[in-house]
Amino acid sequence: MELDAAIDQFLQHLRAVKQLSPHTLDAYRRDLTKLQQLAAAEGVVVIDELREMPLRGWLAQLHRGGLGAKSLQRWLSAVRSLGAFALREGWLKANPAAGIRAPKAEKKLPKLLDADAAGEFVESPGTTASSGDERLAVRDRAILELFYSSGLRLSELSALNWADLDLRAAEVRVTGKGNKSRQLPVGSQALQALQDWRRQAPAAEADAVFTTMKGKRLSNRAIQARVAHWARAGNAEQRVHPHMLRHSFASHLLESSGDLRAVQELLGHADISTTQIYTHLDFQHLAKVYDSAHPRAKGDKS
């Protein structure tokens, strides 16, 4: 089976059987066109002539050409899927891409606010609000305080109902990814802000906690806009968004406690490896402390 014909049949299979979206099909087509071009340059035109070592070389060639780790992973995944299809069809005796691994994408450390900046920011609706915005400021202070107090995701906060909050016990119940629920503590400052908002909140649709002044539940986008508004109002040095407050919550908690498993539970991460990125942030903090405090951390300046 010629390689171009095998690719065509594979794409037809993805379209008709797998019913992939046009966007995903285009991505497969682009990646497999690259494979065909690389193979043709070395005289490989039949699919059963594909071998592992040339594939590794082509992967390295794409890397040298400037293709990023995520793009390389996607290219290799397309080639591996083609190989698996060809194996089932009897065109190959083994999948030459099965044992190849693409380079891992570098994990980007999440941006966050330090503890002082976070404290100032969540209090900003009470200090930078104009005289006509008192109720909005009370509501937004509760939003910011709860994000930072309990590490909620944006979707978790926007979906909150008053029935999910136990203000007496200082707890909130949220439903996160995979429809999994978790119970979280609410800090004293966030608790006070929520109590202040409840006294002023309008009658809400479906018992929603965070609403417009007419009682309509705030959308994710509206909450993002309010967070951005307070960042501008307070002349924040960087763009602030809800996820930054969640990152700050996790990092500051880990910094103080060192308990990675507890932070995992509070964030609602299914896999602790997702939470482990915060250990890098914690090490950065420790390194700064070491550099500033240890008598032999720096070179001799005499």
Side-chain angles (χ1 to χ4, degrees), residues 30-73:
R30 286 193 299 272
D31 287 332
L32 294 175
T33 297
K34 281 181 192 160
L35 169 68
Q36 193 176 348
Q37 291 167 344
L38 290 163
E42 296 194 16
V44 176
V45 295
V46 180
I47 193 166
D48 67 2
E49 291 177 349
L50 289 176
R51 298 290 184 272
E52 180 178 332
M53 289 311 295
L55 281 174
R56 289 185 182 276
W58 298 339
L59 186 68
Q61 185 177 330
L62 292 171
H63 187 26
R64 289 194 300 271
L67 213 59
K70 287 188 177 179
S71 297
L72 292 171
Q73 289 170 356

